[in-house]
Amino acid sequence: MILLKVFAGLLGLVAVVLGAGALATLLITLRIEARHPPQGPFVPVPGGRLASIEAGPNPSARGTVVLLHGASANASDPMEGIGRRLAADGFRVIAFDRPGSGWSDRLGGRDMAPPAAQGHAIAQALASLKIGPAIVLGHSWSGALATAIALDHPERVAGLVLAAPVAMPYPRTGTVPWTYRLALWPPMTWLLSQTLATPVGLYYLPRAGGAVFRPQDAPADYLDRSRAALVLRPGSIRANLQDLAGLPGALAAQAPRYAALRVPTVVISGDADGAVPADRQAVPLAAAIPQARLVLLPGIGHMLQYVAVDALADAVARLADRIAAERDPVAP
């Protein structure tokens, strides 16, 4: 009888904690969405719509650059870092919230996790907007997404800029802890995302935002400019976890195809990137893509779009000039 009372008491305590977490999650989500409403047009695609942010002249004599953000982020991250600069340089710039991130619908649920699936949705949005071929700039996780679009929808891609990319297979390190496997069990993922993950994530967000910039410092207004808190909403948390968990298997299938890429490509990374080490990703990726140009930036970390804006803008401009020269060669 005593054990039953103890067990009932523990269940009651858990229920109280989860209930308080659910209320906190609701209030935090409402506050985040009020502070960071959609900034640009929605693009209808099969199954829902994708959110976008646009900048720069339309049409543009210099061409269009499509920005794709990394994990735990949204379209504002690359737009506020490099996008505004590219727009000022004369490019038309369009940044997408990846499916399930920012204000974009998840579309296919868990089936939307692989880069190839997200690439198909982005390609459909570009077709709807009559954009392409364009320069596609993918940062971090979206190194895999940008290459997937080039592989499966080459008519939409004039060139690739892969910034601090994750696109090469990588082994799982050791045994996956049971706590991680439990958190990825769909019912548990849903429960945690609806109760505890949002308030806990809000507490750690400033620390996480600073860590990803190392060895550089994050700009003082980075979290607000990038609307980073949007990832703390329950649906975005689930989508982000699914994207990260599914990436190793997707890359194992995708990477052997890189030798077939013929699109002009620049792979640019910092040699002090602790989040995505260049020697494990950027360097072998540049070797795997025929005639790709590798740019390694001394002392630079992961967030190139903020801490190496000039170098990244120069990489885009040089690639645009190369594409224009190949399209309209000067007669001898």
Side-chain angles (χ1 to χ4, degrees), residues 135-136 143 146-147 150 157-163 165 258 261-268 282 285-295 315 318-319 322-323 326:
I135 292 174
V136 179
T147 49
V157 181
L160 290 173
V161 178
L162 307 175
Y258 293 155
L261 285 171
R262 294 296 181 268
V263 62
T265 300
V266 177
V267 181
I268 180 169
L285 178 61
I289 299 175
Q291 299 183 7
R293 184 168 73 94
L294 175 65
V295 179
R318 291 181 61 181
L319 185 64
R322 174 185 168 186
I323 293 168
E326 292 178 356

Side-chain angles (χ1 to χ4, degrees), residues 15-159:
V16 169
V17 171
L18 293 179
L23 178 60
T25 294
L26 175 61
L27 295 176
I28 292 170
T29 298
L30 291 174
R31 182 181 177 185
I32 289 171
E33 293 185 341
R35 185 173 181 82
H36 302 298
Q39 290 188 343
F42 287 96
V43 183
V45 295
R49 58 185 189 171
L50 296 180
S52 68
I53 305 174
E54 296 189 18
N58 181 21
S60 166
R62 301 204 71 183
T64 298
V65 179
V66 176
L67 303 180
L68 303 173
H69 63 84
S72 306
N74 63 83
S76 287
D77 187 48
M79 178 59 82
E80 296 305 319
I82 187 64
R84 303 294 179 190
R85 164 66 179 273
L86 294 175
D89 288 346
F91 291 97
R92 179 189 182 187
V93 183
I94 179 166
F96 285 101
D97 287 335
R98 293 194 288 104
S101 298
W103 287 96
S104 287
D105 295 332
R106 185 56 169 171
L107 304 177
R110 294 180 66 88
D111 292 339
M112 191 50 57
Q118 296 191 25
H120 184 61
I122 297 293
Q124 289 174 318
L126 293 175
S128 176
L129 294 170
K130 296 180 172 56
I131 292 176
I135 292 174
V136 179
L137 191 162
H139 175 246
S140 195
W141 194 98
S142 278
L145 175 55
T147 49
I149 297 172
L151 287 166
D152 298 334
H153 304 277
E155 73 283 359
R156 297 293 156 200
V157 181

Side-chain angles (χ1 to χ4, degrees), residues 130-290:
K130 296 180 172 56
I131 292 176
I135 292 174
V136 179
L137 191 162
H139 175 246
S140 195
W141 194 98
S142 278
L145 175 55
T147 49
I149 297 172
L151 287 166
D152 298 334
H153 304 277
E155 73 283 359
R156 297 293 156 200
V157 181
L160 290 173
V161 178
L162 307 175
V166 180
M168 297 299 290
Y170 55 92
R172 299 185 184 274
T173 56
T175 303
V176 178
W178 70 268
T179 52
Y180 185 72
R181 296 197 302 271
L182 180 62
L184 289 176
W185 182 45
M188 185 60 68
T189 300
W190 183 90
L191 179 63
L192 292 175
S193 68
Q194 294 293 142
T195 56
L196 301 179
T198 295
V200 171
L202 184 63
Y203 176 79
Y204 283 104
L205 187 62
R207 186 182 307 177
V212 76
F213 274 84
R214 292 174 185 159
Q216 282 74 45
D217 293 327
D221 59 351
Y222 168 69
L223 293 181
D224 195 56
R225 284 174 62 195
S226 66
R227 304 189 303 166
L230 285 172
V231 76
L232 299 178
R233 297 171 301 160
S236 294
I237 288 172
R238 293 193 294 272
N240 194 47
L241 283 173
Q242 292 164 3
D243 291 352
L244 291 169
L247 188 58
L251 291 179
Q254 178 173 303
R257 302 174 60 199
Y258 293 155
L261 285 171
R262 294 296 181 268
V263 62
T265 300
V266 177
V267 181
I268 180 169
S269 184
D271 69 2
D273 187 341
V276 182
D279 61 341
R280 301 180 188 176
Q281 287 290 332
V283 173
L285 178 61
I289 299 175

